[in-house]
Amino acid sequence: MSKPSPINPLRLGLIGFGCVGQGLYDILQKLPEPGFVVQRIAVKNPSKLRPLPAERFEFHADDLVNDPELDLLVEVIDDPNEAFRLVSQALQLGRKVATANKAMVARHLPELLDLQREFGGALLYEASVCGSIPVIRTLDSYFGQEPLHSVSGIFNGSSNYVLTGMTTAGVDYATVLAEAQAQGFAETDPSLDMAAFDPRSKAVILAAHAYGVLLNPDEVLNLGIESISSADIRFAAERGQKIKVVASLLRLPAGGATVFVTPQFVDADSPLYHVEREFNGVVVDAAFAGQHFWRGRGAGGHPTGSAVLSDLVALRNGFRYAYPKLTETTAATSVAPDLELEVYVRHAPKELRQALQLTDIGDALSAPGFSYDYVVGYTRLSTLLQHRDALRAAGVFVARTGKVRSVTAEPKPELITAELVAE
Ligand SMILES: NC(=O)c1ccc[n+]([C@@H]2O[C@H](COP(=O)([O-])OP(=O)(O)OC[C@H]3O[C@@H](n4cnc5c(N)ncnc54)[C@H](OP(=O)(O)O)[C@@H]3O)[C@@H](O)[C@H]2O)c1
């Protein structure tokens, strides 16, 4: 694809004109220099009021996918199934596509890779993980050859906004969640954010680039903050810590990686301790480069639109992800070998507490008549995954302390790194 001149810009087909679509459109109006023009826009609802004249919109996204006059496609709709249908069709035509849809990419990455290999198209999705933080291309290109001990971070701005409100202003969960929704930081149905489904999708995507593993999202542990109370925030504060929803990707000694997303007690010396409100943060711990930290806006029209624009420039320049760590062996990794995590469990009914088979209990409070009871001990990652839905349904709050160990009697030194234990 040749470089456009200002009088011959590349023509975009924009599918979706909500928060992200409008953010990208606005950036392109303010920044003509990159040389893109939005030629056609497809949306869903014909009766919706729009900020542009009605003749700018059409209602059959397939027409854009099939239009050979369009140089690049941008898919930013809010329906993962329809997004997958449209993006797969575009890739079957060998087209170049940028998307922001993390749920779609996380669930269908193996098929999307096959389609690119078979038909020669390209799909970039920087906007799908942590908005404007340039993490995917950095992991794929810059850290493509370097082993990474861990990649961890706060990947969901809505739950972080709620945690910040509870921690700094002492506001209760329901009040601060309603405030986050009013400000547009949280979905009307908050479970995607608050139950950590959204950051799980992002962690699955990063695992492909950081470790070459293609994980099924359903097999990745996600625990959220729907049951958090001010007592949990106080418990952390008394120990000089904050609770954050942390996604952790950890390298395993035999190759591959394990991934989980849960609330975690974070110490003041962690860069994530200082990531507040709707911001996201990513910490990469590389074998030779050491620790790197980014903090930035994980959502919103302009930050996410900025990431899409960066993908458009990259597509124009012929860039495609290399997935440098993806091999037949790593791709076959599904659920990682088991680990034990130290967890704080509050308000668990007796059966669930027994089901978690906690060991090495370090701290506990349980007194008849008290509504606040907790226990701290080790449980297996697979046990948490097995009981995830029951824990959620019973309103149990679970947070990691940050300590992780191998289930085998002989600890594997490569896995149990100082960084891991201190995280
Ligand atoms: N919002 C963020 O900050 C953010 C950040 C990172 C990633 N993302 C991802 O970006 C994507 C878009 O999010 P958003 O917040 O911009 O969503 P949004 O504000 O709800 O807008 C969605 C847009 O998609 C259109 N649409 C839905 N189904 C369609 C179809 N079948 N054909 C054509 N258009 C269709 C809607 O049309 P109507 O206008 O007619 O309803 C609307 O314009 C999602 O995958 C989201 O996860 C969002």
Side-chain angles (χ1 to χ4, degrees):
M1 199 171 286
S2 60
K3 199 165 177 171
S5 69
I7 48 160
N8 193 21
L10 290 189
R11 290 153 302 193
L12 305 184
L14 178 55
I15 305 175
F17 199 69
C19 177
V20 180
Q22 290 182 42
L24 174 68
Y25 185 91
D26 191 48
I27 293 172
L28 292 175
Q29 302 315 298
K30 293 184 166 112
L31 263 190
E33 293 82 6
F36 299 105
V37 63
V38 178
Q39 190 77 10
R40 297 179 74 171
I41 307 174
V43 286
K44 187 175 181 185
N45 183 350
S47 53
K48 210 178 203 176
L49 280 177
R50 309 277 173 192
L52 298 177
E55 58 271 20
R56 289 269 16 219
F57 297 96
E58 47 195 297
F59 305 96
H60 299 287
D62 292 85
D63 294 348
L64 276 62
V65 170
N66 292 309
D67 181 355
E69 299 291 310
L70 296 174
D71 298 300
L72 300 169
L73 294 170
V74 177
E75 179 283 298
V76 281
I77 72 173
D78 55 348
D79 174 345
N81 294 329
E82 184 61 2
F84 178 58
R85 190 187 69 75
L86 292 166
V87 169
S88 340
Q89 195 185 327
L91 292 177
Q92 279 170 33
L93 295 168
R95 311 214 59 165
K96 297 189 173 190
V97 187
T99 180
N101 200 319
K102 62 225 102 170
M104 186 265 293
V105 175
R107 190 146 303 276
H108 296 289
L109 192 50
E111 296 116 291
L112 294 168
L113 283 172
D114 286 346
L115 287 172
Q116 290 171 79
R117 281 191 208 107
E118 189 174 350
F119 298 100
L123 178 68
L124 300 185
Y125 41 80
E126 188 64 66
S128 68
V129 179
C130 298
S132 56
I133 300 178
V135 58
I136 299 178
R137 224 175 305 150
T138 307
L139 290 175
D140 195 85
S141 300
Y142 186 89
F143 288 118
Q145 307 311 318
E146 184 157 344
L148 303 176
H149 294 308
S150 64
V151 177
S152 59
I154 295 168
F155 296 172
N156 184 267
S158 314
S159 52
N160 203 49
Y161 185 90
V162 169
L163 289 171
T164 301
M166 292 183 75
T167 305
T168 57
V171 187
D172 67 85
Y173 174 78
T175 307
V176 73
L177 175 59
E179 186 192 317
Q181 286 172 321
Q183 299 222 18
F185 294 132
E187 305 288 336
T188 317
D189 168 11
S191 65
L192 276 182
D193 295 324
M194 301 304 147
F197 287 99
D198 170 85
R200 180 180 74 174
S201 293
K202 295 166 179 170
V204 165
I205 293 171
L206 292 191
H209 297 273
Y211 298 101
V213 298
L214 300 177
L215 298 170
N216 174 350
D218 297 333
E219 292 174 2
V220 172
L221 176 70
N222 62 307
L223 296 170
I225 58 164
E226 291 162 303
S227 307
I228 196 168
S229 80
S230 49
D232 306 315
I233 301 285
R234 220 170 25 246
F235 181 92
E238 282 164 5
R239 287 153 183 78
Q241 297 174 314
K242 286 181 187 165
I243 297 176
K244 299 285 183 188
V245 177
V246 178
S248 292
L249 291 72
L250 308 177
R251 184 163 75 101
L252 295 165
T258 191
V259 178
F260 40 85
V261 187
T262 75
Q264 182 179 332
F265 295 100
V266 174
D267 290 325
D269 60 3
S270 164
L272 297 181
Y273 183 93
H274 307 283
V275 176
E276 300 287 31
R277 303 196 319 276
E278 72 275 21
F279 281 85
N280 284 191
V282 184
V283 182
V284 172
D285 194 353
F288 301 104
Q291 192 183 80
H292 290 245
F293 170 62
W294 295 276
R295 173 185 170 279
R297 293 189 181 277
H302 277 165
T304 314
S306 153
V308 177
L309 173 60
S310 176
D311 275 352
L312 293 173
V313 174
L315 284 169
R316 182 180 67 202
N317 293 339
F319 176 84
R320 53 179 61 238
Y321 298 130
Y323 303 92
K325 293 171 182 164
L326 181 62
T327 64
E328 276 182 25
T329 319
T330 61
T333 309
S334 56
V335 181
D338 213 348
L339 297 173
E340 286 186 332
L341 313 178
E342 192 184 46
V343 288
Y344 159 99
V345 182
R346 184 184 50 77
H347 202 51
K350 196 170 161 210
E351 322 78 72
L352 266 176
R353 204 189 266 217
Q354 280 170 352
L356 291 181
Q357 297 173 39
L358 294 163
T359 60
D360 298 328
I361 290 173
D363 195 2
L365 174 70
S366 173
F370 276 85
S371 58
Y372 177 51
D373 63 279
Y374 69 84
V375 57
V376 179
Y378 280 88
T379 186
R380 288 189 178 202
L381 178 56
S382 56
T383 307
L384 282 171
L385 191 56
Q386 184 188 346
H387 297 290
R388 172 188 51 197
D389 296 344
L391 289 164
R392 200 176 157 213
V396 181
F397 180 69
V398 180
R400 278 185 288 141
T401 66
K403 291 184 184 162
V404 180
R405 66 188 190 191
S406 167
V407 284
T408 55
E410 299 276 322
K412 296 192 172 89
E414 197 186 345
L415 175 64
I416 310 300
T417 60
E419 294 90 339
L420 229 172
V421 173
E423 188 192 299

